[in-house]
């Protein structure tokens, strides 16, 4: 299973970026996909996930990004996106996508819930 994250970059506060996570080896509509981030000196934290289609394909968000970030999936491209609007300085981090092998009824917001990880893409927001 390979995950290729892209779309990071540098942006001023208030700006937008869209991250992409292209996956091979798993059909994303059958798996929950998540985005996590890690800022320097901080623990990795959950950002958002999108559930497998059988669980409704719904998005879940960390409180810190709710209303600003939107996760979506293009089944034809087997790619998950993270649209990030109204970016803040504190959103600066390396963002990684991950795919879960297991199907859990739990919210799946822990890194341990996910089995495959991409390499990460840097997002830098200047104030």
């Amino acid at each position: 299973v390979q995950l290729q994250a892209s779309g990071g970059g540098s942006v001023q506060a208030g700006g937008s970026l869209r991250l992409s996570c292209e996956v091979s080896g798993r059909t994303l509509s059958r798996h929950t996909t998540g985005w996590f981030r890690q800022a320097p000196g901080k623990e990795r934290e959950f950002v958002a996930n999108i559930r497998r289609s059988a669980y409704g394909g719904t998005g879940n968000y960390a409180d810190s990004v709710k209303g600003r970030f939107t996760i979506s999936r293009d089944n034809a491209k087997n790619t998950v996106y993270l649209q990030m609007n109204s970016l803040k300085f504190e959103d600066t981090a390396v963002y990684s996508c991950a795919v879960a092998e297991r199907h859990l009824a739990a919210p799946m917001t822990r890194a341990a819930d996910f089995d495959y990880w991409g390499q990460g893409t840097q997002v830098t927001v200047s104030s």
Side-chain angles (χ1 to χ4, degrees):
V1 181
Q2 292 187 324
L3 291 77
Q4 181 67 46
S6 62
S10 297
V11 65
Q12 289 189 330
S16 299
L17 284 173
R18 189 178 79 156
L19 305 183
S20 300
C21 178
E22 184 175 2
V23 177
S24 59
R26 287 295 182 273
T27 301
L28 288 187
S29 60
R30 300 176 183 174
H31 295 269
T32 295
T33 307
W35 285 97
F36 290 78
R37 67 187 182 187
Q38 187 167 20
K42 294 188 177 182
E43 296 287 319
R44 181 166 51 189
E45 65 174 355
F46 168 76
V47 176
N49 70 27
I50 183 165
R51 303 305 298 267
R52 61 194 292 248
S53 296
Y55 283 4
T58 54
N60 300 286
Y61 302 91
D63 288 343
S64 59
V65 306
K66 202 171 292 183
R68 300 187 297 121
F69 291 10
T70 302
I71 190 169
S72 62
R73 181 174 59 220
D74 185 330
N75 292 335
K77 296 182 178 179
N78 215 41
T79 299
V80 167
Y81 302 97
L82 185 68
Q83 177 66 44
M84 305 186 296
N85 298 330
S86 302
L87 282 161
K88 303 176 180 180
F89 175 76
E90 50 264 39
D91 294 320
T92 296
V94 175
Y95 285 70
S96 300
C97 56
V99 174
E101 191 68 60
R102 294 155 288 177
H103 308 306
L104 305 175
M108 299 189 71
T109 60
R110 304 178 309 153
D113 294 331
F114 294 83
D115 302 282
Y116 310 108
W117 292 81
Q119 84 288 0
T121 184
Q122 176 70 46
V123 171
T124 302
V125 184
S126 57
S127 57

